[in-house]
Amino acid sequence: MSLTLEICAGSVQSAVAAQAGGAHRIELCQSLEQGGITPSYGTIQQVLAQLTIPVFVLIRPRPGNFVYDAEELAIMAADIRQCRALGCAGVVLGVLDTAGRVDFAACQMLMEAAGPLPVTFHRAFDACPDQRQALEDIISLGCHRLLTSGGQPTAPHGQQQLAALVQQAAGRISIMPGSGVTPATLQELVRHTGAREFHASAKRLLPPPPAAKGTEFDAPRWETDATIVRELVARLEAA
């Protein structure tokens, strides 16, 4: 089985750079500096028009925790249906209950909205205290993929748990390490986890425009760098 590189892209420009660098798939979001939220209709539309690789869209209505009320779940379901209508390749989601368990009923409702679209369960998983049970719940939901750092701040720190999750999954779901996946860490993750898919942002900080005055609106901006993506692909192919 070949190895796959997914790039988390927070804009049209980042999505284009990811494809130019040789990424196999993107996860499209906005506000990456806040962990990512659902991108706008226009962003999704423009990315789909310019990319030929699969586009998975993050379904997350706000930053913060992954416990959502009925109104937020309704927004998420509507966004999923919109992704289906636009022709996205899949969606990325995750909902927890107040105890940090997978909210099975809420996730099942979102899975039904996704219909035939493949679903990735995102790093909400890393907030689950019982990851062994959470993985079984996610498999039972019918998710195709789990994005996780093994419950640690970064995937390199979570290597041992990632390997255990790959072993537990036993081919029933793809375990995709994410967070801290760089050209310097990728090959070690391949060797030590047994995972076949990897998730990175390959981002660089953009310099502020010359006329920037340092106001509250001049937040740091990060974009995917095609050169870093190419290096990740090369490391993956050499692993």
Side-chain angles (χ1 to χ4, degrees):
M1 181 182 174
S2 61
L3 300 175
T4 298
L5 176 67
E6 175 181 276
I7 295 295
C8 183
S11 68
V12 177
Q13 294 87 343
S14 286
V16 170
Q19 177 166 282
H24 304 110
R25 181 179 62 239
I26 69 160
E27 178 198 318
L28 183 62
C29 68
Q30 282 184 189
S31 301
L32 188 55
E33 65 279 359
Q34 294 181 301
I37 59 172
T38 304
S40 71
Y41 175 96
T43 299
I44 299 170
Q45 193 176 48
Q46 287 297 311
V47 167
L48 289 173
Q50 296 192 47
L51 265 60
T52 56
I53 60 175
V55 175
F56 276 55
V57 174
L58 177 63
I59 305 299
R60 187 179 181 219
R62 56 162 172 77
N65 64 58
F66 303 103
V67 181
Y68 300 114
D69 62 24
E71 286 76 15
E72 290 169 325
L73 289 171
I75 291 169
M76 294 167 79
D79 283 337
I80 291 169
R81 289 191 290 270
Q82 188 64 72
C83 287
R84 286 180 64 181
L86 284 169
C88 298
V91 292
V92 182
L93 57 85
V95 184
L96 305 181
D97 65 19
T98 54
R101 297 173 300 227
V102 173
D103 189 330
F104 202 88
C107 288
Q108 199 165 42
M109 183 272 289
L110 297 178
M111 295 290 292
E112 289 170 2
L117 287 187
V119 173
T120 300
F121 195 99
H122 59 46
R123 290 190 60 211
F125 174 84
D126 291 318
C128 295
D130 186 349
Q131 292 197 345
R132 187 172 185 84
Q133 182 57 53
L135 177 56
E136 294 302 324
D137 290 340
I138 291 165
I139 292 170
S140 296
L141 282 166
C143 294
H144 294 72
R145 184 177 298 108
L146 171 62
L147 170 61
T148 173
S149 61
Q152 298 299 317
T154 68
H157 285 100
Q159 280 185 121
Q160 186 174 349
Q161 175 65 356
L162 286 165
L165 291 168
V166 170
Q167 188 171 27
Q168 181 188 343
R172 294 175 293 163
I173 189 173
S174 176
I175 305 297
M176 180 169 61
S179 181
V181 177
T182 68
T185 64
L186 181 54
Q187 289 184 325
E188 187 178 359
L189 283 166
V190 174
R191 286 194 297 269
H192 291 285
T193 65
R196 310 300 295 176
E197 299 187 77
F198 298 87
H199 174 98
S201 58
K203 64 183 184 292
R204 63 181 174 85
L205 184 63
L206 295 182
K213 298 179 180 179
T215 70
E216 62 187 294
F217 305 107
D218 295 321
R221 286 186 58 211
W222 297 83
E223 296 284 1
T224 296
D225 188 323
T227 302
I228 301 174
V229 177
R230 286 190 196 97
E231 191 173 355
L232 284 164
V233 171
R235 296 293 178 96
L236 207 56
E237 291 174 346

